[in-house]
Amino acid sequence: MNFRFMLSGSGLFIISLLKAQHVEIKGKVVFEDGNNQTVEVRIKNTEVKTTTDKNGMYSIKDLFAGSYQLLFKTEGYEESEKEIFVEKQDTIIPDVLLVHNGKKIDEVVVTGVSKVTLIKENPVAITRISSQQIEKTVATNIISSLVKSAPGLNVVQTGPNVSKPFIRGLGYNRVLTLYDGIRQEGQQWGDEHGIEIDPYSIEQAEVIKGPASLMFGSDALAGVVSLFPRIPDENDGIVHGKITSEYQGNNNLIGNGMHLGYKKNSLIATFNGSYRMAKNYRNAIDGRVYNTNFEEKNLSFLLGRKTQTAFSRVSFTLYDNLQGIPDGSRDANTGKFTYQVGEGDDDIIDKRPVVSERELNSYTLSPLHQRIQHYRLYAQHHQHIGKGDFDVKLAFQQNVRREYNHPSVPSQAGMYVRLNTLNYGIRYNFPKFSSVEISVGANGMIQNNKNKSATDFPIPDYDLNEGGIYTYAKWKYRKLNVSGGIRYDIRNVSWENFYVQTNPITQFEEQISHSSANAELRFPSYNKTFGGLSASIGAAFQLTKQISLKANIGRSYRAPNITEIGSNGLDPGAHIIYKGNRDFNPEFSLQEDLGISARFKDFSADVSWFNNNIQNYIYLSLLTDGQGNPLIDSQGNKTYQYQNASAQLYGMEAWLSLHPEKWKGFSFDTSLSVIYGFNRDKMFINKGNQGEYLPLISPLKWSGNLSQKIATGAKIISSVTPTVEMEFSAAQHRYLGLNDTETATPDYTLFNIGASVVIRYSENHSASLLFQANNVFDRAYQSHLSRLKYLGNIYNMGRNISLKLIIPF
């Protein structure tokens, strides 16, 4: 009897055990930024795992009752753990929220080199900047927002809305900007010519530091800033989007933007629109800085078709910006800003009237301002062919720039240029063969510049034709990755005789089509073809699973730009008279890079060193008279002429991020960069500030950012992340002081504080409210790369308190 009882009891136990194994858990994963991608769901310390479906749902079957630790993982987001208790019936798990992690750059691939490549396997120094890093930065343009996240990247600024990227001491036409893979073509030669791109439309960015002519041709000698607009990946047939609204207290900036995205099966569509306006910015020394206000409008859309083997799309963007032209003129007695009312000899700077407080504190622009319009229509196609693939790109851009500098006739533009550009490119990636990947391609552009109804003509009408062919290869053997290639470019620049004469009625200069008794041949005809060879070879070695070593050497080519060879007149926006040099040859640089990267659970770090030698380096030199005095016109505009010489730049960048695995939500990021630049012309040996140092070299810079994410556990406010930042810029005593081109710049330290609040407003979406106070102590300082330092000794922006609200849906 006891035996039968034990047998029946054992049977009941086995039946109940088997029944318990059919218990199922179900749940859903949602994303902080409204994204929707596959997530791995694993029971910790076991092999039991599953993935989420297109709606974020998951389930795990055949579990015993008891306690488990669930682990949620996906690329680009912080891992999440959740302790659950499974009962003897099916269990529903509360939603799990995943937070974007901009620090996981190991896992993020890089485009724009050939095929998709891991950053750690690429020998070139590349920094990827995520959407979260861009959104949390307070800036008035997209280039300035990238600087904090990319050591080695700096900006030359003309007020808050004009920033030109500089990489490792080089800028203007030595840094190429890409938008969605298309090279940005405006009037990059101008000091006050910014980048015509909507900052609210950018999803992520990449900064290539070092010679990149191999893939992109001329103008990528110093590197590339590549900007990517958002393309939807939620394939659910529902319109998703994001609303961005911000206010900045210093210049009363009001900005609003909207992104809409739709994807259903193979159809993709996006729309972006934004509007921003700002008053003149202010600081503790100057008060409000006259003519630094602006008004900017943006519009773009994309229509595409994506299948398993192809992706075709057509895109259009519109940029329209009105911004002031600061000249820094002041009243000698009060130091207050003044404004121009007369023309030519009638404009006596010392007798200009003072700008009223009403005009300083206004969104309305001065009659002396500039208007920049940029239109872009482009088509791209990517196609898989067997195990290979190819890309085709065709783009048309039109850049229209008007600079109004005539107070007596405000509607008459001083400079009015229209630049049309046709970009083209094709690339084929061969199938991978025995650990070798080979890409071949060709790209280039056709350009036409036309002066319209203007009175100042700094550059001629011209035609430009450029093309280049290249091949690039990668070889991987165990822990070693070797890559490199070769390219050859040809660029032809030409123009016809360009005549000007003085209009007897208006007394302004005007362009005429032929020679006459009263005409001046401003630009004699020109036709020259430039050619150059670019090459690169480098290796990345995975020393351990966490540490990689990199080395690269590259030769880059850059043809002289139009102002360097052809300019001969006043740029009214820059307040500079430019003189070109028709005999210039292309610049060639030879740069060596060394780097080491470390990625551990508790910290990440990068260190890179570079040395760059440039032949035929082109730079501006002030022209003087026989007594050594600067040549100036009646309005105080100085005259500069382009010269060339040999140059050398070297330096390093370091970055460290502490993110202890056991200290959830804590992060400390710090970076350091230093650059030295020398003019190696024999006449400047040991001359120091009197010609030996290159201009526009950023001093040593250090920054640190401390943040702690605090999970509240509340249903509405799910987390709060306070931040503290410190920025230190060392004194710059290595400057180009020849002819007072530059002056020394003292060191300064800025402190910033902020906080981001995640507000969960629906089951699947959370909004972000960002508070930031930059320059908390209202420090009066001047950046060495600020052009306004040399236009009336103007200081940079003072304390700036801002609020930004980002609502994904």
Side-chain angles (χ1 to χ4, degrees):
M1 184 175 178
N2 290 336
F3 174 76
R4 289 194 306 182
F5 176 77
M6 291 174 61
L7 183 62
S8 60
S10 299
L12 290 172
F13 175 77
I14 292 171
I15 292 171
S16 64
L17 189 64
L18 293 173
K19 186 176 181 180
Q21 286 183 301
H22 287 285
V23 173
E24 180 181 6
I25 62 170
K26 299 179 180 179
K28 184 177 183 179
V29 177
V30 295
F31 293 84
E32 178 186 43
D33 54 5
N35 198 2
N36 183 18
Q37 64 189 56
T38 302
V39 179
E40 179 185 275
V41 185
R42 178 189 293 271
I43 297 180
K44 198 171 182 180
N45 300 321
T46 74
E47 296 300 319
V48 179
K49 64 179 181 179
T50 186
T51 56
T52 57
D53 62 17
K54 65 180 181 179
N55 297 315
M57 305 298 298
Y58 68 91
S59 67
I60 301 177
K61 301 179 180 179
D62 300 330
L63 294 178
F64 294 103
S67 296
Y68 296 92
Q69 197 79 10
L70 290 183
L71 181 64
F72 300 84
K73 296 174 60 177
T74 189
E75 181 180 307
Y77 292 81
E78 293 183 7
E79 295 179 4
S80 179
E81 293 187 17
K82 192 174 188 67
E83 187 173 358
I84 64 171
F85 180 77
V86 177
E87 301 180 359
K88 294 182 180 180
Q89 56 186 359
D90 293 351
T91 304
I92 303 298
I93 307 301
D95 290 354
V96 174
L97 180 70
L98 294 188
V99 177
H100 197 280
N101 184 357
K103 305 282 191 310
K104 290 192 173 181
I105 61 175
D106 266 358
E107 302 171 353
V108 179
V109 295
V110 177
T111 57
V113 284
S114 58
K115 290 185 178 180
V116 169
T117 306
L118 290 171
I119 287 179
K120 66 182 181 181
E121 295 180 355
N122 194 306
V124 178
I126 299 178
T127 300
R128 177 188 178 273
I129 304 168
S130 68
S131 60
Q132 186 185 46
Q133 291 171 289
I134 294 173
E135 290 173 348
K136 74 178 183 181
T137 303
V138 174
T140 50
N141 60 80
I142 184 60
I143 301 300
S144 293
S145 69
L146 305 180
V147 172
K148 287 186 179 181
S149 302
L153 174 68
N154 294 288
V155 292
V156 168
Q157 291 184 301
T158 309
N161 196 41
V162 180
S163 293
K164 301 182 74 67
F166 266 56
I167 296 177
R168 293 175 168 178
L170 299 173
Y172 295 91
N173 283 82
R174 298 182 180 99
V175 172
L176 183 63
T177 302
L178 301 178
Y179 175 84
D180 203 8
I182 305 297
R183 61 185 291 159
Q184 180 79 7
E185 286 298 323
Q187 305 282 354
Q188 289 100 324
W189 52 268
D191 287 283
E192 80 295 353
H193 302 171
I195 304 299
E196 302 93 349
I197 290 175
D198 178 9
Y200 295 151
S201 69
I202 302 303
E203 174 71 5
Q204 61 177 326
E206 295 167 0
V207 178
I208 302 174
K209 293 176 286 188
S213 299
L214 180 64
M215 301 302 294
F216 304 107
S218 180
D219 299 356
L221 183 140
V224 174
V225 177
S226 188
L227 306 170
F228 299 93
R230 188 174 190 273
I231 296 177
D233 54 11
E234 302 93 343
N235 189 20
D236 55 9
I238 299 174
V239 175
H240 295 273
K242 180 173 66 177
I243 295 174
T244 301
S245 184
E246 70 172 322
Y247 177 80
Q248 296 184 22
N250 184 284
N251 58 351
N252 304 100
L253 180 146
I254 299 172
N256 292 287
M258 175 179 284
H259 164 80
L260 300 175
Y262 175 87
K263 184 178 181 182
K264 179 64 174 178
N265 299 325
S266 61
L267 177 64
I268 295 177
T270 66
F271 169 84
N272 292 281
S274 70
Y275 177 78
R276 303 189 306 149
M277 64 178 182
K279 298 180 181 179
N280 298 301
Y281 84 88
R282 51 191 162 182
N283 60 59
I285 302 296
D286 305 304
R288 289 197 181 269
V289 178
Y290 183 55
N291 252 355
T292 58
N293 49 353
F294 64 90
E295 180 184 7
E296 179 187 299
K297 309 180 191 76
N298 291 280
L299 186 70
S300 66
F301 66 81
L302 174 150
L303 186 63
R305 182 175 184 272
K306 188 173 184 178
T307 66
Q308 291 183 344
T309 59
F311 184 18
S312 301
R313 49 183 164 151
V314 176
S315 306
F316 173 79
T317 68
L318 179 152
Y319 173 97
D320 193 334
N321 186 16
L322 296 169
Q323 61 187 32
I325 306 177
D327 64 10
S329 67
R330 298 176 187 258
D331 179 72
N333 297 319
T334 64
K336 293 183 178 181
F337 290 103
T338 60
Y339 62 95
Q340 181 184 351
V341 293
E343 300 276 355
D345 294 336
D346 295 330
D347 178 29
I348 302 174
I349 295 178
D350 293 339
K351 295 185 179 181
R352 287 182 177 183
V354 172
V355 181
S356 69
E357 289 299 321
R358 182 185 62 82
E359 291 173 302
L360 285 173
N361 189 28
S362 174
Y363 289 104
T364 303
L365 272 78
S366 157
L368 308 187
H369 64 274
Q370 53 185 320
R371 183 182 185 185
I372 307 99
Q373 295 165 288
H374 194 96
Y375 308 93
R376 184 189 293 106
L377 176 64
Y378 60 100
Q380 299 168 296
H381 179 72
H382 178 82
Q383 180 74 51
H384 289 281
I385 302 177
K387 295 184 179 181
D389 58 83
F390 76 92
D391 292 282
V392 179
K393 297 177 182 178
L394 186 65
F396 173 76
Q397 300 178 69
Q398 183 175 88
N399 185 278
V400 179
R401 176 175 293 273
R402 302 177 184 90
E403 296 183 357
Y404 298 95
N405 65 325
H406 294 298
S408 61
V409 190
S411 61
Q412 173 62 60
M415 186 171 77
Y416 185 177
V417 288
R418 184 220 63 204
L419 179 67
N420 288 338
T421 305
L422 179 68
N423 304 93
Y424 59 89
I426 184 169
R427 181 181 68 201
Y428 179 69
N429 298 316
F430 288 90
K432 187 174 182 180
F433 173 74
S434 186
S435 301
V436 176
E437 299 178 23
I438 298 176
S439 301
V440 297
N443 50 35
M445 61 181 175
I446 301 171
Q447 236 176 34
N448 172 262
N449 186 76
K450 177 70 175 176
N451 284 275
K452 307 293 283 186
S453 178
T455 65
D456 298 301
F457 307 96
I459 59 174
D461 299 343
Y462 70 88
D463 292 298
L464 183 151
N465 295 280
E466 177 181 87
I469 57 173
Y470 64 89
T471 182
Y472 182 85
K474 296 189 296 184
W475 173 63
K476 183 174 183 179
Y477 178 73
R478 295 182 180 177
K479 298 181 179 181
L480 178 65
N481 292 269
V482 179
S483 60
I486 191 168
R487 175 190 180 101
Y488 190 77
D489 282 279
I490 292 178
R491 170 182 286 191
N492 177 263
V493 181
S494 64
W495 63 80
E496 301 296 329
N497 285 335
F498 188 105
Y499 296 95
V500 298
Q501 69 177 14
T502 300
N503 186 299
I505 299 175
T506 65
Q507 294 300 304
F508 294 138
E509 287 190 335
E510 60 184 2
Q511 181 184 0
I512 59 174
S513 60
H514 58 277
S515 177
S516 67
N518 298 322
E520 174 197 346
L521 179 57
R522 180 65 52 85
F523 304 101
S525 63
Y526 180 88
N527 190 321
K528 188 171 182 177
T529 298
F530 302 93
L533 182 72
S534 304
S536 177
I537 183 70
F541 180 71
Q542 201 68 29
L543 187 64
T544 69
K545 186 177 180 180
Q546 295 82 18
I547 300 175
S548 60
L549 307 176
K550 299 182 178 184
N552 191 78
I553 182 170
R555 183 181 195 261
S556 278
Y557 143 89
R558 183 183 78 91
N561 67 33
I562 186 61
T563 187
E564 291 167 344
I565 56 177
S567 59
N568 186 21
L570 173 69
D571 179 352
H575 299 285
I576 290 175
I577 300 170
Y578 290 101
K579 299 286 187 181
N581 192 321
R582 297 162 64 93
D583 299 323
F584 278 152
N585 292 315
E587 290 182 341
F588 292 98
S589 79
L590 183 65
Q591 179 165 313
E592 303 90 21
D593 286 86
L594 292 174
I596 180 170
S597 296
R599 298 294 183 268
F600 292 89
K601 288 183 178 180
D602 294 331
F603 75 91
S604 302
D606 288 329
V607 182
S608 58
W609 300 266
F610 71 92
N611 178 61
N612 191 5
N613 289 280
I614 304 177
Q615 294 177 324
N616 305 320
Y617 174 81
I618 300 173
Y619 64 100
L620 273 175
S621 179
L622 182 70
L623 292 184
T624 58
D625 60 20
Q627 288 72 43
N629 299 314
L631 294 179
I632 60 174
D633 65 6
S634 59
Q635 295 176 317
N637 300 307
K638 295 180 180 180
T639 303
Y640 287 80
Q641 186 167 36
Y642 288 97
Q643 311 287 347
N644 67 357
S646 297
Q648 182 184 16
L649 299 103
Y650 58 84
M652 60 87 67
E653 301 111 23
W655 168 80
L656 172 67
S657 176
L658 302 178
H659 39 79
E661 186 179 29
K662 294 183 179 180
W663 191 346
K664 294 295 184 183
F666 174 83
S667 175
F668 174 70
D669 291 355
T670 182
S671 65
L672 175 73
S673 65
V674 61
I675 305 164
Y676 296 93
F678 298 91
N679 188 325
R680 294 306 189 190
D681 193 303
K682 293 181 180 179
M683 66 182 294
F684 296 127
I685 293 176
N686 299 323
K687 291 295 182 65
N689 295 334
Q690 294 304 304
E692 186 177 13
Y693 303 132
L694 296 182
L696 298 174
I697 299 298
S698 175
L700 179 146
K701 298 184 70 174
W702 175 87
S703 66
N705 180 299
L706 181 69
S707 66
Q708 174 64 60
K709 181 180 178 180
I710 303 170
T712 64
K715 290 184 178 180
I716 299 178
I717 298 179
S718 59
S719 69
V720 178
T721 306
T723 61
V724 178
E725 297 178 352
M726 177 178 170
E727 302 175 38
F728 171 73
S729 181
Q732 182 56 290
H733 298 299
R734 297 173 180 268
Y735 60 91
L736 180 59
L738 184 67
N739 300 320
D740 295 322
T741 301
E742 292 181 329
T743 58
T745 304
D747 66 276
Y748 58 86
T749 302
L750 306 179
F751 293 90
N752 312 319
I753 60 173
S756 62
V757 180
V758 176
I759 305 170
R760 191 171 181 182
Y761 67 90
S762 73
E763 182 181 0
N764 299 324
H765 296 98
S766 295
S768 296
L769 179 63
L770 306 174
F771 163 81
Q772 185 80 13
N774 285 346
N775 194 2
V776 173
F777 300 111
D778 203 21
R779 170 70 188 272
Y781 73 99
Q782 290 178 318
S783 166
H784 190 69
L785 300 189
S786 171
R787 290 189 61 249
L788 295 187
K789 178 187 176 188
Y790 305 100
L791 291 176
N793 196 33
I794 298 171
Y795 283 73
N796 286 66
M797 183 179 285
R799 183 187 299 115
N800 187 19
I801 298 174
S802 67
L803 282 175
K804 182 186 290 186
L805 180 63
I806 302 170
I807 307 175
F809 58 89

